[in-house]
Amino acid sequence: MILEALNKMGRLDLAVDRMEQRLPIELFAVVERTTQEVDLRHPAHLRVSETQIRNKPAINLGNSGEQAEVLRDLLYTLYSKFEAIAEGHRAVHEVIAGVVAREGLRKPDSLLGGFKELWKLYQSEMRSLLHDYLATDGNPLYNTKRVSTINNNVFHRIQRDKNKRVFRLGEVDENSTGMSNEQEDLDKILQASVPGLVSKSHRRSGTIQGDRSVTYDSPAAGHKLLLKPSVFNISLLLPPSLSFLQTLKDIVPPDSDIAISTLTSFLDDFLVNVFNPQLDETLTELCSQSFIDLGAFQQDLHWADHALRPILKGTWLFFSLVKAFCRMLDNIPQDQAFTQLIVTQLVTYHDKCATWYRGLVTRARLEGGTCFKTAADVVESGDLSVVVKTIWAGDDNDRERLMQKEAELLISRTNETPLEPYDIVSDRRSVTALCLLYSSMQWLESKLSQLRHIVDKDSMAAQDTRTGRRRWTLVNTANMQDGDQPVYLLMTKETVGPFDDILARYRELATTALLTLHVDIRCGMIHMMSRVLKAPYSLDQPANEPDPSILALNADLLSFDDNLTVHLPSKEYSFITSGLGLLLDNILVTNASQITVMNLNGCERIQLNILVLQQNLKSIESGVALTRSAMFYDYFIGGAEAIIEKAKATGGKDMGFSLEEIKVLVELCYSEALQSQHRDVAAQARKALSDHLLQLSESMWNS
């Protein structure tokens, strides 16, 4: 009725023109009011995520739970209003079309173009919403590249200074002195330039007669953001947007000059041509932040929430990022370029962790440059490396023989190249770091393997059958991923190879860290025992306390054990601690030649050292008994004559020692006499030693 009345009054074209002018402002006001309504329904304190509460690194991995509900509420409420507005404009369009057809009005395009203008505004508002909630420039953590690169990224919005007011035409004071002066100057210029262009009666008609009650005078002011923007919000933004576009197809008037088949093309263009190309840079920046964060290679304080053993904070953050990206990919048309993008980041993270490992096990050379510490060097290559890896991967039936071989090779290597303090990794911080690296790489490899999912190549992308272009709007919103369903990284048989390769590299890095711990604790023991054996053992009185180096070694072993217990599973703990007693037993016998001189009091002190070591090791390795080394020094107390008689009687077979080891024992029996200041005592000792060594060789040569 109103439109018919306006037509009778000859004001229909003016009304339509006024509607088109007011439409942007009113539509902007609808968005603004809807945002305020949703903001009131969801108080800000309920939208704070658990991540923010726990003060975890501020890398936005998307919104879930209450936060996701806020965004869904906003979009579905807003699009329902858009739908109602579109229905109203269709009714207006149909009435005007009927009037035009009945009366044959001229310039029908000016009267029937309202719905097309409405569609353009819808596109603008939808594009703005997508941009605002996908943008990441508001977070300074992402600003890691050049400013020029940031300005070219669709996810980076230029932030205006919030301390400055937005200029609004409706707030202009027409009666102010400044405005009057400016208006008079403008009138004079126009009158002088083009006389008669502006009459006196209309000179002030250009002044804005703004409606003071309208505060939404310009869309340029922007809308309030209810949530932090994130590229991962695409999974929340896309379903309601596609649903609205599908509904809008049924509302568009047939004669509105809008091609129904291309109604959603603007969204396809935005997502395919703008959103997709920026994913590479955005994911790279997010991953880089997880690498360079100050606490990236420190223990995650909340590791118990997602792992059985402590892991690195950066590892958890990195996997959360990968998982969020995979969840997002489940809601968009699949493309193997995205899979390759994730694999590239997996390789980068492995390289970062490998570099960190090398930093832990590298030392400076005296002659310049750097090299691996002994444990890391042993693990890299060589016979000893093969034996250690075999112990880790082998069965228990051959374990004892392999551990004996390992002890012999390690003692031989360290005797050829004596250890220095800087060759040992085993300070508490480094041990913790290596344990964390092992558990983190194992955990990450396990979690990533759960994302592995192979699909047919033909099902990887949604395409327009006519053009071959990937179409986002061909995706069925009903099949989109929700937060409760498993998350997968879809791959084809052709592209799964690089993914499996990087998982193998994670396992290899974890194994390297574990083997380094295994060898390093043994190197530390050898180094400390070298100091013990080189101590003076020619004592004037019996010793009541063990050697200070023994006490230091026990403290180091207990500290090492505490770290292993906290950070490693039982299998890995057993691998590192099993065989420590066997190694000590071999060191005390094989390296006895490092003792320069020893008497009975000194031998008793060594036996006390053995007893203290044995008691301490029992708290680390079950069933430890240093029987071989205890028997070795018991023979010393019996004296050289008893040793020779035992060797003659048994041919050395029942003694449990090699010819070289017994020779060292006999030499120790004469070591104090050989150091005597009385020349005749030293001479007699040398003669007796030679005779006994000859007898020993004759007795054991054929044994």
Side-chain angles (χ1 to χ4, degrees):
M1 294 294 294
I2 295 176
L3 293 175
E4 289 286 357
L6 289 171
N7 180 51
K8 293 296 184 181
M9 296 168 58
R11 306 297 296 272
L12 182 60
D13 55 346
L14 182 61
V16 170
D17 183 60
R18 183 63 60 87
M19 286 173 55
E20 292 182 359
Q21 291 179 13
R22 292 292 303 173
L23 192 57
I25 297 174
E26 296 300 332
L27 200 60
F28 181 85
V30 168
V31 178
E32 197 71 12
R33 282 194 295 268
T34 304
T35 302
Q36 293 175 0
E37 292 170 5
V38 175
D39 193 21
L40 292 175
R41 286 199 295 267
H42 301 273
H45 70 278
L46 297 179
R47 302 201 296 263
V48 179
S49 67
E50 184 179 354
T51 298
Q52 293 169 315
I53 294 174
R54 292 188 172 187
N55 294 322
K56 287 191 175 183
I59 293 182
N60 193 357
L61 300 181
N63 298 289
S64 59
E66 179 64 24
Q67 293 180 311
E69 186 59 33
V70 172
L71 195 53
R72 292 193 187 99
D73 189 6
L74 172 65
L75 293 175
Y76 282 112
T77 302
L78 180 61
Y79 287 149
S80 65
K81 293 182 178 181
F82 280 3
E83 182 179 343
I85 293 171
E87 292 280 6
H89 275 265
R90 170 163 181 162
V92 171
H93 178 89
E94 290 177 346
V95 171
I96 294 176
V99 171
V100 170
R102 184 181 71 240
E103 301 189 7
L105 299 178
R106 293 181 298 173
K107 299 181 179 179
D109 292 342
S110 62
L111 297 176
L112 299 176
F115 202 94
K116 191 172 184 180
E117 292 300 320
L118 175 67
W119 168 235
K120 291 180 180 179
L121 293 173
Y122 277 173
Q123 290 186 52
S124 176
E125 287 295 342
M126 292 179 68
R127 190 180 290 109
S128 177
L129 283 171
L130 289 171
H131 177 275
D132 288 346
Y133 283 99
L134 294 176
T136 57
D137 62 300
N139 193 331
L141 293 174
Y142 303 129
N143 298 333
T144 57
K145 295 194 175 184
R146 298 191 305 263
V147 175
S148 60
T149 303
I150 290 176
N151 290 338
N152 290 331
N153 192 331
V154 68
F155 301 138
H156 294 273
R157 293 178 288 113
I158 304 300
Q159 295 288 307
R160 72 174 181 86
D161 188 352
K162 299 298 178 64
N163 295 321
K164 297 180 179 179
R165 285 181 56 115
V166 175
F167 173 73
R168 301 177 185 274
L169 292 174
E171 297 177 357
V172 175
D173 184 2
E174 303 175 36
N175 299 320
S176 66
T177 304
M179 278 293 296
S180 300
N181 294 337
E182 293 294 335
Q183 183 66 44
E184 290 177 0
D185 291 343
L186 178 60
D187 290 344
K188 290 178 181 179
I189 293 173
L190 293 175
Q191 184 64 26
S193 301
V194 186
L197 178 63
V198 181
S199 64
K200 292 183 179 181
S201 61
H202 292 87
R203 283 179 185 175
R204 304 190 63 84
S205 62
T207 308
I208 301 297
Q209 303 294 328
D211 185 354
R212 303 293 176 167
S213 64
V214 178
T215 58
Y216 313 111
D217 58 275
S218 173
H223 302 295
K224 177 182 178 180
L225 292 181
L226 301 180
L227 300 173
K228 286 186 177 181
S230 169
V231 292
F232 301 108
N233 287 337
I234 189 67
S235 58
L236 301 174
L237 294 167
L238 197 56
S241 299
L242 293 178
S243 178
F244 170 68
L245 291 176
Q246 297 297 331
T247 303
L248 196 61
K249 289 182 179 180
D250 299 328
I251 302 176
V252 175
D255 57 345
S256 61
D257 292 334
I258 299 177
I260 301 297
S261 60
T262 60
L263 189 64
T264 59
S265 60
F266 91 96
L267 185 58
D268 283 319
D269 291 338
F270 176 83
L271 296 174
V272 174
N273 299 325
V274 181
F275 178 78
N276 284 2
Q278 300 295 347
L279 283 180
D280 190 346
E281 180 183 345
T282 303
L283 180 63
T284 301
E285 290 182 6
L286 289 169
C287 290
S288 297
Q289 181 55 40
S290 70
F291 305 156
I292 66 176
D293 185 81
L294 293 177
F297 290 100
Q298 296 178 4
Q299 179 176 315
D300 183 6
L301 297 178
H302 307 287
W303 61 267
D305 294 342
H306 35 260
L308 298 177
R309 295 286 173 177
I311 60 174
L312 295 170
K313 182 163 57 176
T315 302
W316 162 245
L317 183 60
F318 176 70
F319 175 73
S320 300
L321 180 61
V322 171
K323 187 175 181 180
F325 196 77
C326 291
R327 180 178 286 110
M328 181 190 69
L329 294 184
D330 283 339
N331 293 320
I332 65 177
Q334 296 299 322
D335 190 331
Q336 283 303 281
F338 296 148
T339 300
Q340 183 57 47
L341 181 59
I342 292 180
V343 171
T344 300
Q345 295 307 316
L346 294 179
V347 172
T348 302
Y349 187 65
H350 170 273
D351 294 343
K352 293 287 184 181
C353 292
T355 301
W356 185 59
Y357 164 77
R358 288 192 292 271
L360 292 172
V361 299
T362 300
R363 69 172 179 86
R365 295 177 182 269
L366 294 177
E367 59 273 17
T370 59
C371 65
F372 277 149
K373 295 182 179 181
T374 301
D377 189 49
V378 165
V379 170
E380 283 294 304
S381 60
D383 295 339
L384 186 53
S385 174
V386 174
V387 173
V388 174
K389 291 177 181 177
T390 305
I391 294 174
W392 170 237
D395 55 39
D396 295 335
N397 296 331
D398 204 28
R399 194 179 185 88
E400 192 70 24
R401 182 188 66 82
L402 289 171
M403 287 193 298
Q404 178 63 38
K405 184 176 181 181
E406 175 194 43
E408 293 172 356
L409 289 173
L410 194 55
I411 292 172
S412 174
R413 178 189 173 103
T414 53
N415 285 341
E416 292 175 2
T417 308
L419 294 170
E420 297 294 340
Y422 46 75
D423 286 316
I424 311 301
V425 182
S426 300
D427 63 278
R428 189 177 184 87
R429 181 177 298 178
S430 297
V431 171
T432 300
L434 289 173
C435 289
L436 287 173
L437 180 62
Y438 172 78
S439 56
S440 298
M441 294 300 100
Q442 286 287 97
W443 178 86
L444 182 59
E445 187 274 336
S446 174
K447 290 294 184 179
L448 289 173
S449 64
Q450 297 174 18
L451 301 179
R452 185 179 186 272
H453 189 69
I454 301 177
V455 297
D456 294 334
K457 188 175 182 180
D458 295 338
S459 63
M460 288 303 296
Q463 294 185 342
D464 188 318
T465 56
R466 293 174 302 168
T467 64
R469 283 185 61 194
R470 297 173 59 252
R471 291 286 304 278
W472 289 56
T473 48
L474 295 179
V475 178
N476 186 356
T477 57
N479 296 330
M480 286 189 169
Q481 185 76 272
D482 61 41
D484 298 329
Q485 294 179 341
V487 178
Y488 296 109
L489 177 61
L490 303 184
M491 294 169 282
T492 64
K493 294 180 179 179
E494 292 76 14
T495 58
V496 74
F499 182 80
D500 291 340
D501 290 343
I502 189 58
L503 294 191
R505 291 174 64 183
Y506 279 123
R507 290 192 295 269
E508 182 181 356
L509 180 57
T511 302
T512 301
L514 183 67
L515 299 183
T516 301
L517 286 168
H518 176 92
V519 176
D520 188 69
I521 188 174
R522 287 157 173 75
C523 289
M525 292 170 60
I526 293 174
H527 173 65
M528 293 299 293
M529 289 306 299
S530 176
R531 293 168 56 181
V532 170
L533 295 175
K534 290 178 180 179
Y537 287 99
S538 179
L539 307 180
D540 297 332
Q541 56 186 8
N544 297 320
E545 295 181 354
D547 191 282
S549 296
I550 291 293
L551 299 178
L553 175 58
N554 282 344
D556 290 344
L557 290 175
L558 290 176
S559 175
F560 204 105
D561 179 68
D562 289 342
N563 262 321
L564 298 183
T565 303
V566 171
H567 294 96
L568 296 181
S570 57
K571 179 183 177 182
E572 287 77 359
Y573 174 85
S574 176
F575 166 67
I576 293 176
T577 57
S578 296
L580 295 181
L582 177 64
L583 177 64
L584 277 176
D585 225 14
N586 278 274
I587 293 171
L588 286 164
V589 174
T590 304
N591 286 354
S593 59
Q594 295 180 2
I595 302 174
T596 55
V597 58
M598 184 170 66
N599 57 17
L600 288 177
N601 290 335
C603 183
E604 289 176 357
R605 186 171 195 181
I606 284 204
Q607 289 180 318
L608 178 59
N609 290 342
I610 293 173
L611 180 61
V612 172
L613 282 172
Q614 180 175 284
Q615 291 301 115
N616 186 70
L617 280 175
K618 284 182 178 179
S619 64
I620 300 175
E621 182 183 6
S622 60
V624 172
L626 306 181
T627 54
R628 188 165 182 265
S629 55
M631 184 186 300
F632 183 82
Y633 292 99
D634 283 343
Y635 280 130
F636 177 90
I637 294 177
E641 290 289 346
I643 296 172
I644 298 302
E645 290 300 323
K646 181 73 173 178
K648 287 181 178 180
T650 63
K653 294 180 180 180
D654 295 338
M655 298 183 71
F657 304 101
S658 67
L659 174 61
E660 292 301 321
E661 290 169 345
I662 296 178
K663 281 184 177 181
V664 170
L665 187 58
V666 172
E667 290 172 352
L668 285 175
C669 291
Y670 287 102
S671 60
E672 187 177 39
L674 291 173
Q675 298 291 331
S676 175
Q677 295 181 354
H678 300 287
R679 300 173 71 181
D680 55 337
V681 174
Q684 291 176 6
R686 279 193 295 271
K687 184 176 182 303
L689 176 60
S690 298
D691 291 342
H692 282 152
L693 290 178
L694 180 60
Q695 295 175 38
L696 185 63
S697 298
E698 291 174 351
S699 302
M700 298 184 64
W701 184 261
N702 296 322
S703 60

